[in-house]
Every structure is written in C-alpha cells, then in structure tokens.
C-alpha cells in the first residue's frame, strides 16, 4: 500500500482555540487520509513557556522559538492562534516569506492590517484563510467570499458577540442587572477577566469590519466602524422594550447603500418575533441579504475551543487540498472596490430615549418643541412613572438622521426641566 502523503503543520499558540484545533486534528487523523488524501500532522507548537505542561498536548511538540518553525522547510501550513497585533503580524508576514500558508483566527489583526496581510500572501502565492476570525464555528467568510459571490450583497447584520448576547439574555429572561449578568458570564468562562473588548462592542466591531470587507468587496477597517457597547443598558430599558414587543440585542449592522458603506455596532431594539431576537445565550447569528439569493441566515456557536477549532480546521483542509492540487492562492484579497464609508451622523435610525424630567406643566410641550425644531418626528411618547416631582418619559422617534438626534439631545441636556437623559437606543426599522 502506498504511504499516504503527509502535510506538516505548526501551531502558533495553544490556548483555547489551539487546543481545540489540536484535539480535532488528532481525532480526525485517520479520517483525513480518505477525506482529503493526506495526513495532516501538527509537528511544532509555539508558546511563550515551552516548559509549562499543557493537558493533552505532547510536551515534545512545544517550542518557544518561532525561528525553529520558519527554518523547517517541511512545515507547509502555519496556524496563528496566538491573538494580539504583535508579534502575530510579524510572524504571519514572516511565514509567507518563508513559503508557508497561513490560517488565522485573529480578528484584531485582520480588522486592522488585513490589507498588508493579503497583499503579502498574494505576493508569495500563498493561502491566507481566516474563517474562525468571525463568529467562531459559524461558516460565514466562505459564504460571503465564495458561495454568495454571484450576488450583489447589500446587508450583513448579526449578533456576533456571545458574551454580550449571554448578558442581555440573562437581563431579559432572569431580570438580572448588568453587573450580575457580567459576573455570571465571567464565572461560566464566556467573558474574559478584562471584558472590555466584548462589553464595549470592540470585538463585534472587528468582526463587522472583516465581514463588511468580505461582503462588499471594499476595505473596511476597525477604525471605520462605529462601536457602542451594552454597559449603559439597564433593567428598565429591557422592561420597557419588552412592553413594546421588543428585545434589546447588541447588533452589528453593515449596509452597502448608494451613498456609501454603513458599518456599526450598538444595542438595538428589535421586534421579539424577529429571527435575531430568538438567538439566545452565547449563540451568534448572521443575516445576509443578496440581490439574487434574498435573505439568508447563519446560526451557531460564535466562540469556544471546539466550535472555533472547527472553523480553523476547515480552513486547514482547504489549504491542504490546494497544496495537493497545486492551486494555492486561488482566493486572495477580494477588496477590488473603493467605496466611501458613511459618517455615523448621516445614518438614519428610529430612536428610543428614556428621559428623567421635572414633573411640571408644559414640560412635554417643551420637549416636543426641541425635537420639532431639529426635524425629529415623534412616533410615541409615554410617561412611565412619576415619583415626587420627577417623571420618567419614553420617547420613540420616527426614522431620522443621527445628527438630528444628537443636536436635540445637546439642547435637551441644557434645559432646566431635564434631570437626565438615561438612555438613547436605536430601534430596528426594516424600511431604513
Ligand atoms: P489564548 O487562550 O489566550 O491562547 C493564546 C496562546 O498563544 C497561548 O498558548 C500563548 O502561549 C500563545 N502566545 C501568545 N502570545 C505569544 C507569543 N508572543 N509567543 C508565543 N506564544 C504566544 O487565546 P485564544 O482564546 O485561544 O484566542 C486565540 C485567537 O483566536 C485570538 O486571536 C482570538 O481573538 C481568536 N478567537 C478566539 C475565540 C475563542 O473562543 N477563544 C473565538 C474566535 C477567535 P502561553 O500559553 O505560553 O502563554
Ligand atoms: N469574546 C468573543 C465572544 C469570542 O464573546 O463572542 C471570541 O471572538
């Protein structure tokens, strides 16, 4: 019997994702020979501390020398699952220069420096795949760049951060406040010790930049994405949203409009019967609209050892197949357009505002006048509660430019009848 071909791989990092990749590739070892016609073998693993024992990972594979991996001509694929900007960026570029293909899960780096990484991969005729960088185990980059490539894609919208979706689910279903729900997410290992990137919307913003670039064939970087997190969402906001038949979700929205690209991440009221409202706990979902296909939706686990490992291994198999058929570098950078990015101030939304006012005659008329003077049309206004001389109002606006809302809020905040503007949350409106 002919000895099966062997494709040698190096892992850069063996934390959560790296361990998942190692487990999947080890479990699929024999299967791969039939699946792709070669064995896929991890032969070296880069870590900071090569002496530290790592459960389930043979110590003989560990190294703290990146150069050792570069100097091994038999290693054809490098999997970067270290995270962070540096040294990950330098290592990936070096790997291309040393003739290796790269698979990465590093959203921070790709959302920042994608252009340079793709150009370098292309220069050396190497594959650079990154399915795991967005929405963990959910296949979404491949659908955007390949399966749906026959479409003019106009919208990508989704829940792409599991930690915040878990927190909002607990606040909605168990009446927990933000701090307790965050603590629970940390205890369950969803949120990191420093949860800033998740709860401030930065993690979701990086994923939206990558998806917008892939969907609209134009470079969108993290700096182009408006981000707002969930730290200001209160139990009252969630309760009032429920009374209106809505849930509050942290949504990423990317649209390709005739005036440019919109890309943003912020909390949003969405109707409780909308498909994205049923995405609970740490699950992710991405909705994509194309002119030919219509609406499509992708759902699953957006993080974790095995789900993210699954996406990485899918990419590794693609690279291996390309190696076996001598066709690497088939799908490189797909950003061949240069579409302008719209400013957040120009984007239209409906808004939910929760306002604390002094309870006096004429207050409502004064507030209505401020909105009117700024061309903001009010769809609903409700007094929720009055305690002593204070009242809480909830105002829902019709669709209006963000600038008009910001101008209204600036005026309202300077008025003596206003105690506090407690919340400003955008409201999903399918017609915008
Ligand atoms: P992690 O658990 O912190 O693991 C990082 C690994 O990289 C560790 O083994 C660490 O080595 C190694 N490492 C870090 N810096 C290094 C350096 N300078 N030199 C050598 N080794 C270094 O991270 P993770 O959660 O697996 O995430 C990895 C990547 O996947 C990130 O880009 C992340 O955004 C992305 N991602 C993660 C998830 C998820 O669910 N966790 C989901 C999607 C995407 P030591 O152990 O020696 O410190
Ligand atoms: N921290 C992310 C989340 C997973 O909570 O979804 C890694 O992208």
């Amino acid at each position: 019997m002919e000895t099966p071909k062997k494709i040698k791989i190096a892992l850069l990092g063996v934390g959560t994702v790296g361990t998942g990749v190692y487990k999947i590739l080890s479990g699929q070892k024999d299967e791969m020979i039939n699946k792709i016609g070669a064995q896929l073998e991890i032969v070296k693993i880069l870590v900071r501390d090569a002496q530290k024992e790592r459960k389930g990972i043979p110590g003989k594979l560990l190294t703290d020398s990146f150069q050792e991996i570069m100097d091994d001509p038999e290693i054809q694929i490098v999997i970067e699952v270290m995270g962070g900007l540096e040294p990950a960026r330098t290592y990936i570029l070096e790997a291309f220069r040393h003739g290796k293909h790269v698979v990465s899960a590093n959203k921070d780096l790709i959302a920042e420096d994608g252009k340079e990484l793709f150009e370098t991969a292309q220069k050396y005729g190497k594959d650079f795949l990154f399915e795991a960088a967005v929405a963990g185990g959910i296949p979404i980059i491949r659908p955007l760049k390949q399966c749906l490539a026959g479409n003019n894609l106009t919208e990508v919208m989704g829940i792409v951060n599991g930690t915040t979706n878990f927190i909002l689910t607990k606040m909605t279903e168990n009446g927990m406040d933000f701090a307790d729900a965050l603590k629970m997410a940390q205890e369950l290992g969803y949120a990191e010790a420093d949860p800033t990137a998740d709860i401030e919307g930065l993690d979701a913003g990086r994923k939206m930049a990558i998806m917008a670039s892939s969907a609209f064939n134009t470079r969108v970087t993290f700096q182009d994405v408006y981000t707002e997190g969930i730290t200001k969402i209160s139990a009252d906001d969630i309760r009032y949203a429920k009374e209106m038949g809505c849930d509050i979700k942290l949504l990423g929205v990317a649209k390709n409009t005739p005036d440019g690209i919109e890309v943003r991440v912020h909390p949003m009221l969405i109707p409780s019967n909308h498909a994205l409202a049923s995405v609970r706990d740490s699950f992710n979902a991405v909705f994509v609209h194309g002119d030919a296909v219509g609406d499509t939706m992708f759902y699953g686990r957006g993080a974790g050892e095995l789900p993210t490992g699954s996406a990485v291994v899918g990419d590794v198999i693609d690279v291996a197949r390309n190696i076996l058929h001598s066709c690497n570098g088939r799908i490189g950078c797909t950003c061949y357009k240069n579409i302008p990015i719209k400013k957040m101030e120009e984007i239209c939304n409906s808004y939910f505002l929760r306002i604390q006012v002094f309870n006096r005659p004429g207050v409502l008329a004064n507030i209505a006048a401020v909105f009117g003077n700024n061309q903001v049309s009010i769809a609903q206004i409700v007094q929720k509660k009055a305690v002593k001389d204070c009242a809480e109002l909830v105002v829902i606006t019709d669709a209006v430019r963000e600038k008009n809302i910001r101008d209204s809020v600036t005026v309202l905040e300077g008025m003596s009848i206003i105690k506090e503007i407690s919340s400003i949350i955008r409201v999903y409106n399918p017609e915008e």
Side-chain angles (χ1 to χ4, degrees), residues 179-238:
D180 289 340
L182 170 60
K183 194 159 165 271
M184 189 174 184
Q186 283 171 319
E187 281 162 5
L188 289 170
Y190 294 133
E192 296 182 28
D194 176 0
T196 314
D198 290 323
I199 62 178
E200 296 296 356
L202 313 180
D203 174 81
R206 291 176 179 122
K207 293 167 180 167
M208 291 311 297
I210 297 171
M211 283 199 289
S213 302
S214 304
F216 307 144
N217 304 110
T218 188
R219 178 68 50 207
V220 177
T221 68
F222 176 53
Q223 281 71 28
D224 296 321
V225 185
Y226 172 85
T227 55
E228 192 182 299
I230 62 164
T231 52
K232 293 190 197 127
I233 302 293
S234 72
D236 281 343
D237 294 323
I238 296 209

Side-chain angles (χ1 to χ4, degrees), residues 285-302:
V286 182
F287 164 93
V288 180
H289 184 84
D291 59 351
V293 73
D295 293 339
T296 56
M297 198 158 136
F298 303 81
Y299 171 85
R301 291 204 177 272

Side-chain angles (χ1 to χ4, degrees), residues 13-18 46-49 52 54 81-84 87 105-108 132 136 302-304 308:
V14 69
T16 306
V17 182
L46 182 75
V47 286
R48 274 180 286 227
D49 179 1
K52 191 171 125 192
R54 292 149 203 276
V81 280
M82 295 162 46
N106 194 332
K107 59 189 120 42
D108 303 37
T308 313

Side-chain angles (χ1 to χ4, degrees), residues 8-74:
K8 294 192 178 176
I9 300 168
L11 264 181
L12 308 186
V14 69
T16 306
V17 182
T19 303
V21 171
Y22 185 84
K23 282 185 188 168
I24 296 170
L25 282 176
S26 307
Q28 290 265 325
K29 194 166 173 258
D30 297 331
E31 196 78 11
M32 282 303 165
I33 298 166
N34 292 324
K35 233 177 225 176
I36 65 166
Q39 271 181 355
L40 300 178
E41 191 188 358
I42 294 178
V43 294
K44 284 199 173 74
I45 302 178
L46 182 75
V47 286
R48 274 180 286 227
D49 179 1
Q51 304 311 316
K52 191 171 125 192
E53 209 173 298
R54 292 149 203 276
K55 199 165 165 265
I57 308 292
K60 66 175 192 305
L61 298 184
L62 300 176
T63 175
D64 57 10
S65 166
F66 173 69
Q67 200 53 46
E68 198 183 304
I69 292 169
M70 292 300 100
D71 290 344
D72 185 340
E74 292 196 348

